[in-house]
Amino acid sequence: MPDLFVKNDSVSPTGSLKDRSFAIAVSKAKELGVSQAFTYSSGNAGISLAAYASRARMKAVVAVNAWASAQKILMMQALGAEVIKLDWDSFEQVDKALAVLRGELRLYEFVNFVNPFRHEGQKTYAYEICEQLGWQVPDYMIHPIGTGGGIFATWKGFNELKRVGVIKKTPRMIGVQPAACAPLVDAFLRGSREAVPTGDAKATIAQSIASDMPFDRGRRPLRAVYESDGAMVAVTDEQIVASILMLGQEGIYSEPAGAATIAGAQMLVRQGVIEPGATVVCVVTGSGLKQPDVLQGMLKEPVAFKADSVELVEHVKGLFGDKKAFSH
Amino acid sequence: MPDLFVKNDSVSPTGSLKDRSFAIAVSKAKELGVSQAFTYSSGNAGISLAAYASRARMKAVVAVNAWASAQKILMMQALGAEVIKLDWDSFEQVDKALAVLRGELRLYEFVNFVNPFRHEGQKTYAYEICEQLGWQVPDYMIHPIGTGGGIFATWKGFNELKRVGVIKKTPRMIGVQPAACAPLVDAFLRGSREAVPTGDAKATIAQSIASDMPFDRGRRPLRAVYESDGAMVAVTDEQIVASILMLGQEGIYSEPAGAATIAGAQMLVRQGVIEPGATVVCVVTGSGLKQPDVLQGMLKEPVAFKADSVELVEHVKGLFGDKKAFSH
């Protein structure tokens, strides 16, 4: 695939694509006079809100799942947010809790789809990708999908660019979910425009897209896929790990959710859905540093040598093999 | 200090300032026809070499200390490098081992100060800082110091800018080391131009500047400090943690080594070395994500609530206090 491109958001300020949406959403909140920021997040969104709210001198409270990673919680706290853990049996309980907080405390919420400005930041994907391709439009855009805010916003961006005449066509939008937890893929395969809760969010390494209970039944991300004549595909954790290592060969350290797009591209080419000559953009949504332990036990343990041992020299020799130090 | 600036390299491609030097050093090696890359690193440099060597289709081997963090090793491996662990009793053993590898295998080495091109990349700090300050020169540049490659290269950059007439003066260069391991600070306080091994590299959280056996007796970084009429200061881990949290309030998640510059600035202002009205640039050299566990146990554990509990609402109310949701 000579025209496979990676849009690399692992280099965002807090290490994930969420910075696009919070840069705009927090700026807009500031303009509206908001001084209290609240969101519910499994990790990346809470970290991004913490960073931008601190810069905007806004008090931020982030509610996380009871099983959120200690490292992500520490990052939110270091960035100035108050963190509380939510324990729940069904997502309806969370919805209700958020409604109560909204109603009783009149909190300004940054939850995706609830806060309308998040998409306005997130859609800059479409602008930047077109600009970076010399105002050409890719044939396919591949997004990892949790709640589906990313693919929905990017689709919005492409449509707006087309409406104002900057581009002539729009890409086919492809959504990728982890096989263990793929309610939107299930809906797509059924030909449905509404997803139902299914799968187990804790059964995949792709933390930031592990969402077994789709917000609003996944209607808006599914619409993006159907309207664009796109597709949805599920990938296994094994395929995701292989894709992390492929991206590594290009110098990019991706979180599992980001690498899922590469695994998805491979599957769809094999299935004949994507032609190998197509222009494809894979969105790498976050840094592997966000889940530093994900490869633990999957790669071979480095061999240890005494610095003054003969074995060290022999081993290094073996690693380089017959390859000469200089090619000329 | 109204004119305290942060030069934020936590957003570099692999999360540390090392990307500046490896972008240039690997490009130059490629030009020279090098196909085998080798370095010795405690972490960040090895990660950066792994990324850039992979992009350049160069085979990379990184030797790390036996106590290097598992997470940094995984990142090097994910980025395509072979990693070996070196066990040693004295740094002379490492020096000798590297000399043997260089001699017998004719390896092209990327160790700082040995590879002359690393500084040529690293000195872009000086260019970017002047450019970003509207071609004004800061009064003070504050660098964390391990081997001292960063402060030496930045000083080189400022001098070159002055020599070609782009700037009229150069800043005073300040070096910061962790108190547990500060051989160059010791040398400076003695008025010496040569450091001796001292301290314990494992006794500080500031991993990426924990160097108890200064390369080449620290002569070049000490020269940068003396020539620029600068200073050196040691800071405690407690001061570093406080500075991580201060940077967090600005939306920046710093590794301990980067936050050490803020702690150093505070100390030198208190000591009357830096006047509060001075223009000061602190170099934040890497992302806090590189040491995700460093704050473990130091911040208060988030309180957990059942999603449908009354306590949740009361707690959130308490967190926001009397602050109104909207300021108008």
Side-chain angles (χ1 to χ4, degrees):
Chain A
M1 299 185 69
D3 292 322
L4 177 77
F5 295 89
V6 170
K7 179 66 178 161
N8 179 18
D9 267 12
S10 71
V11 294
S12 295
T14 72
S16 92
L17 84 164
K18 303 292 183 185
D19 292 333
R20 295 179 181 273
S21 62
F22 281 103
I24 295 295
V26 171
S27 298
K28 192 66 192 174
K30 187 87 184 160
E31 185 189 315
L32 294 170
V34 171
S35 55
Q36 297 183 353
F38 179 80
T39 203
Y40 171 74
S41 161
S42 68
N44 285 340
I47 288 169
S48 190
L49 173 63
Y52 286 86
S54 280
R55 280 295 292 167
R57 307 289 176 246
M58 233 175 250
K59 171 98 179 169
V61 174
V62 181
V64 299
N65 289 332
W67 62 88
S69 93
Q71 294 151 339
K72 287 186 179 172
I73 292 174
L74 285 171
M75 185 166 175
M76 291 174 206
Q77 292 179 310
L79 288 166
E82 294 280 354
V83 181
I84 54 174
K85 284 185 176 179
L86 275 196
D87 206 359
W88 46 276
D89 308 306
S90 75
F91 204 77
E92 279 68 42
Q93 281 183 359
V94 177
D95 268 347
K96 234 164 102 181
L98 296 180
V100 170
L101 289 171
R102 212 180 293 140
E104 289 197 20
L105 305 183
R106 293 191 64 236
L107 293 183
Y108 186 85
E109 236 178 279
F110 284 88
V111 174
N112 218 353
F113 292 110
V114 174
N115 185 308
F117 301 111
R118 295 254 327 253
H119 303 310
E120 302 306 307
Q122 199 59 57
K123 74 183 182 189
T124 55
Y125 258 152
Y127 303 172
E128 285 182 24
I129 287 166
C130 287
E131 185 184 19
Q132 292 174 336
L133 292 174
W135 298 105
Q136 295 304 300
V137 179
D139 299 315
Y140 296 91
M141 278 291 311
I142 310 193
H143 281 257
I145 295 193
T147 57
I151 197 169
F152 171 75
T154 306
W155 178 236
K156 184 176 195 291
F158 279 114
N159 277 296
E160 290 176 359
L161 282 182
K162 190 175 167 208
R163 212 170 308 144
V164 297
V166 173
I167 59 176
K168 298 267 174 277
K169 62 161 201 168
T170 50
R172 294 166 78 170
M173 307 298 285
I174 310 283
V176 184
Q177 291 197 300
C181 179
L184 274 75
V185 177
D186 283 359
F188 177 77
L189 295 177
R190 282 197 323 270
S192 170
R193 293 181 163 264
E194 292 199 2
V196 292
T198 181
D200 179 359
K202 290 177 224 171
T204 172
I205 57 170
Q207 268 179 18
S208 60
I209 51 169
S211 173
D212 44 19
M213 295 187 245
F215 181 88
D216 191 30
R217 301 182 173 269
R219 280 187 287 200
R220 279 176 281 187
L222 281 164
R223 204 174 75 206
V225 171
Y226 285 118
E227 279 182 8
S228 69
D229 195 20
M232 297 276 267
V233 64
V235 297
T236 66
D237 280 8
E238 290 68 31
Q239 291 173 311
I240 289 174
V241 169
S243 297
I244 290 174
L245 299 178
M246 283 180 68
L247 283 166
Q249 293 290 342
E250 301 298 327
I252 296 170
Y253 191 45
S254 175
E255 65 172 1
T261 59
I262 300 291
Q266 283 188 302
M267 277 191 75
L268 292 171
V269 168
R270 271 195 221 112
Q271 290 174 10
V273 176
I274 296 181
E275 52 284 15
T279 301
V280 178
V281 175
C282 287
V283 167
V284 167
T285 46
S287 167
L289 286 165
K290 283 287 185 69
Q291 283 181 251
D293 303 318
V294 82
L295 297 173
Q296 197 84 51
M298 293 191 186
L299 308 176
K300 64 171 199 268
E301 183 71 18
V303 189
F305 295 94
K306 292 293 289 182
D308 54 0
S309 67
V310 185
E311 289 78 15
L312 168 65
V313 180
E314 285 308 309
H315 183 77
V316 173
K317 206 172 183 171
L319 286 177
F320 283 120
D322 287 336
K323 209 163 186 178
K324 280 188 297 183
F326 289 86
S327 56
H328 57 73
Chain B
M1 297 183 71
D3 292 320
L4 177 77
F5 295 90
V6 171
K7 178 66 179 160
N8 178 17
D9 266 13
S10 72
V11 294
S12 295
T14 72
S16 91
L17 84 165
K18 303 291 182 184
D19 292 334
R20 295 180 180 274
S21 62
F22 281 103
I24 295 296
V26 171
S27 299
K28 192 67 191 173
K30 187 87 183 160
E31 184 188 315
L32 294 170
V34 171
S35 57
Q36 297 183 350
F38 179 80
T39 203
Y40 172 76
S41 161
S42 68
N44 285 341
I47 288 168
S48 190
L49 173 64
Y52 286 86
S54 280
R55 280 294 292 169
R57 307 292 175 243
M58 232 176 253
K59 171 93 180 172
V61 175
V62 181
V64 301
N65 290 331
W67 62 86
S69 93
Q71 293 152 339
K72 286 185 180 174
I73 291 174
L74 285 171
M75 185 165 176
M76 291 176 207
Q77 293 179 310
L79 288 166
E82 294 279 354
V83 180
I84 54 175
K85 284 184 175 179
L86 275 196
D87 206 359
W88 46 275
D89 309 307
S90 74
F91 205 77
E92 279 68 41
Q93 282 183 358
V94 177
D95 268 346
K96 233 162 104 180
L98 296 181
V100 170
L101 290 171
R102 213 179 293 140
E104 290 196 21
L105 305 183
R106 294 190 65 235
L107 293 182
Y108 186 85
E109 240 181 87
F110 284 87
V111 174
N112 219 353
F113 292 110
V114 174
N115 184 308
F117 301 110
R118 296 255 325 255
H119 302 310
E120 301 307 306
Q122 199 59 58
K123 75 184 181 189
T124 54
Y125 258 152
Y127 302 172
E128 285 181 25
I129 287 166
C130 287
E131 186 183 19
Q132 291 173 335
L133 291 175
W135 298 106
Q136 295 304 302
V137 178
D139 299 315
Y140 297 90
M141 277 290 310
I142 310 192
H143 280 257
I145 294 193
T147 58
I151 197 169
F152 171 74
T154 306
W155 178 235
K156 185 176 194 290
F158 279 115
N159 277 296
E160 290 175 2
L161 282 183
K162 191 178 167 203
R163 212 170 308 143
V164 297
V166 173
I167 58 175
K168 299 265 173 280
K169 62 161 201 170
T170 50
R172 296 167 79 169
M173 307 298 288
I174 309 284
V176 184
Q177 292 198 299
C181 178
L184 274 76
V185 176
D186 283 358
F188 177 78
L189 295 178
R190 282 197 323 270
S192 171
R193 292 181 165 263
E194 292 198 3
V196 291
T198 181
D200 179 359
K202 292 177 224 169
T204 172
I205 56 169
Q207 269 179 15
S208 60
I209 50 168
S211 174
D212 43 20
M213 296 187 245
F215 181 88
D216 191 29
R217 298 183 175 269
R219 280 186 287 200
R220 280 178 279 188
L222 281 165
R223 204 173 74 206
V225 171
Y226 284 119
E227 280 182 8
S228 68
D229 196 20
M232 298 275 267
V233 65
V235 297
T236 65
D237 280 7
E238 288 68 32
Q239 290 172 312
I240 289 175
V241 168
S243 297
I244 290 175
L245 299 178
M246 282 179 68
L247 283 166
Q249 294 288 343
E250 300 299 327
I252 296 170
Y253 191 45
S254 174
E255 65 172 1
T261 58
I262 300 291
Q266 283 187 303
M267 277 190 72
L268 292 171
V269 168
R270 268 192 225 115
Q271 290 173 11
V273 176
I274 295 181
E275 53 284 19
T279 301
V280 178
V281 175
C282 286
V283 167
V284 167
T285 47
S287 166
L289 285 165
K290 283 287 185 71
Q291 282 182 252
D293 303 318
V294 83
L295 296 174
Q296 199 82 52
M298 292 190 186
L299 307 176
K300 65 170 197 266
E301 184 70 19
V303 188
F305 295 94
K306 293 293 287 182
D308 54 1
S309 66
V310 185
E311 289 77 13
L312 168 66
V313 180
E314 285 308 308
H315 184 75
V316 174
K317 205 171 183 171
L319 286 176
F320 284 121
D322 287 336
K323 208 163 188 179
K324 278 188 298 180
F326 289 84
S327 55
H328 57 74

